[in-house]
């Protein structure tokens, strides 16, 4: 069995590498923690006001001075560091459902992100290195 192989499935680590964030340098981790501390009170206030739609969350975070992330014609990042989008959909009761709320990804450095969400039940702000295929956002689970 592979070391750290979760449930012991063959090739677990190899098959799930895309779901592991990259490492952050100590300096980048410090900067990401500082940005997380700026974002946390904004999301707390919005959560208390029951305002967690992506447009409201985006506007509040842009007010902190972040620039909205843009992508070029081939999906490559093209300026800006902040992405706010709808929650990931999930399969519930036989159909695809997108819960109310917003996901937040802030690229602090090439090796550091602040990732957050705010929804009806709670909010959370964390720091992590980027994921190989999806940047700041944890990729959805595979098969």
């Amino acid at each position: 069995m592979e070391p750290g192989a979760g449930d012991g499935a063959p090739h677990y680590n190899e098959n799930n590498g895309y779901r592991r964030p990259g490492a952050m340098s100590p300096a980048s981790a410090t900067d990401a923690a500082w940005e997380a501390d700026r974002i946390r009170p904004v999301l707390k206030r919005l959560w208390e006001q029951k305002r967690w739609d992506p447009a409201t969350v985006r506007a509040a975070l842009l007010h902190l001075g972040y620039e909205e992330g843009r992508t070029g014609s081939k999906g490559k990042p093209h300026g800006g560091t902040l992405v706010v989008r709808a929650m990931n959909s999930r399969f519930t009761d036989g159909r695809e459902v997108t819960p109310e709320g917003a996901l937040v990804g802030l690229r602090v450095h090439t090796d550091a992100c602040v990732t957050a969400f705010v929804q009806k039940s709670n909010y959370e702000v964390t720091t992590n290195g980027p994921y190989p295929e999806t940047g700041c956002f944890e990729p959805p689970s595979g098969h």
Side-chain angles (χ1 to χ4, degrees):
M1 174 154 70
E2 280 182 88
D7 63 6
H11 307 288
Y12 178 87
N13 287 328
E14 180 183 330
N15 293 340
N16 288 284
Y18 73 101
R19 291 186 56 84
R20 287 192 191 84
M24 287 188 282
S25 71
S28 292
T30 298
D31 290 350
W34 188 84
E35 296 294 349
D37 288 344
R38 291 183 70 213
I39 289 170
R40 192 171 287 107
V42 174
L43 295 187
K44 179 179 192 256
R45 177 178 48 82
L46 293 172
W47 180 74
E48 288 170 344
Q49 294 172 351
K50 300 179 179 359
R51 300 182 69 205
W52 41 75
D53 63 281
T56 299
V57 173
R58 182 180 304 107
L61 293 176
L62 289 174
H63 189 69
L64 291 178
Y66 300 121
E67 185 180 342
E68 189 167 5
R70 298 177 309 279
T71 54
S73 60
K74 298 186 190 227
K76 290 269 189 195
H78 185 65
T81 56
L82 176 71
V83 175
V84 179
R85 61 181 175 86
M87 300 291 282
N88 293 329
S89 63
R90 41 186 109 127
F91 200 70
T92 305
D93 297 328
R95 62 189 178 96
E96 199 77 15
V97 175
T98 302
E100 287 183 60
L103 293 173
V104 175
L106 176 71
R107 182 63 75 122
V108 179
H109 295 296
T110 57
D111 67 337
C113 295
V114 175
T115 306
F117 68 85
V118 58
Q119 61 186 2
K120 184 176 183 174
S121 58
N122 62 336
Y123 68 95
E124 182 177 70
V125 180
T126 59
T127 61
N128 55 273
Y131 293 89
E133 297 175 8
T134 55
C136 292
F137 294 106
E138 182 176 359
S141 57
H143 49 286

